Amino acid sequence: MTSTTVHLAVYDTFADWETGHITAHLTQNGFTVRTVGPTTEPVTTMGGLRIQPDLALDELDPADSRMLILAGAHLWDTGDDLAPFAAKARAFLDAAVPVAAICGATAGIAREGLLDDRAHTSAVPFYLDATGYKGGEHYRDADAVTDGDLITAGPTEPVAFAREVFARLGVYEGEKLDAWYRLFRDSDASAYEILSS
């Protein structure tokens, strides 16, 4: 299962639009996306969709995954409900399995200390400063940042976030990765021919 399985964390108020490009293109390219929730009880996304998680967080083993993807959610900023997901991200990174975090999830992993010594980005620097983390000197003003096994992105950058995930997993590479990004970021029709060849 580890060769093609990617885990997508889902929880109440999950920002469902932030991972749509990722899940669609992973599935079309031979990957299996499994959802992992706090439990296996259904969750409701920010868009009002109900998702039945495939497994509970305490069942998730990094050895069974190629990557853990954490999207934003109101819950990242309103308490500690999602702290176990940040702790699981630590377990993934400790096991050398990549983690990708966007939007509010960057604050969650900042609180966990995972951004203290890695290059990263988020919405704006002061958003992460409010977490009390110690990684401000590593903040990059960029759409998305990859530092080893950790990918971060700001809330308005789901396409750049997807690009970094695809690069890390080898879904698209080189000219095709660039074409995918130009097609979905810029609506560059000339990129379609490259991508479909």
Side-chain angles (χ1 to χ4, degrees), residues 13 72-80 82 103-108 111 127 131:
T13 72
H74 290 314
L75 291 179
W76 284 114
D77 297 318
T78 58
D80 295 328
L82 299 185
C103 189
T106 61
R111 287 185 200 94
Y127 174 62
T131 69

Side-chain angles (χ1 to χ4, degrees), residues 18 21 46 72 79 81 92-93 104 106 115 127 134-135 148 152 170 179 197:
E18 293 177 343
H21 288 293
M46 205 177 292
D81 290 352
F92 266 64
L93 292 172
T106 61
L115 302 183
Y127 174 62
K134 299 172 177 60
T152 52
S197 64

Side-chain angles (χ1 to χ4, degrees), residues 16-91:
D16 30 19
W17 65 91
E18 293 177 343
T19 59
H21 288 293
I22 293 171
T23 56
H25 289 272
L26 287 179
T27 302
Q28 291 173 32
N29 284 280
F31 284 80
T32 299
V33 177
R34 297 195 73 207
T35 54
V36 55
T39 68
T40 55
E41 291 299 309
V43 299
T44 303
T45 71
M46 205 177 292
L49 302 177
R50 287 175 53 84
I51 297 176
Q52 177 83 49
D54 294 314
L55 70 160
L57 185 63
D58 61 6
E59 300 174 288
L60 179 59
D61 184 339
D64 296 330
S65 188
R66 286 284 301 277
M67 178 179 282
L68 174 62
I69 301 170
L70 301 169
H74 290 314
L75 291 179
W76 284 114
D77 297 318
T78 58
D80 295 328
D81 290 352
L82 299 185
F85 285 92
K88 186 64 76 169
R90 177 178 291 284

Side-chain angles (χ1 to χ4, degrees), residues 115-181:
L115 302 183
D116 288 351
D117 57 5
R118 293 177 173 93
H120 61 274
T121 193
S122 183
V124 287
F126 62 80
Y127 174 62
L128 294 183
D129 290 343
T131 69
Y133 89 131
K134 299 172 177 60
E137 67 185 281
H138 302 292
Y139 187 91
R140 303 292 181 262
D141 186 13
D143 297 340
V145 172
T146 298
D147 186 341
D149 289 326
L150 182 64
I151 297 167
T152 52
T156 60
E157 299 300 337
V159 176
F161 186 53
R163 177 195 62 207
E164 298 303 302
V165 168
F166 298 155
R168 186 66 179 78
L169 294 174
V171 176
Y172 300 117
E173 297 175 318
E175 187 178 43
K176 282 203 173 187
L177 180 63
D178 177 65
W180 183 90
Y181 188 58

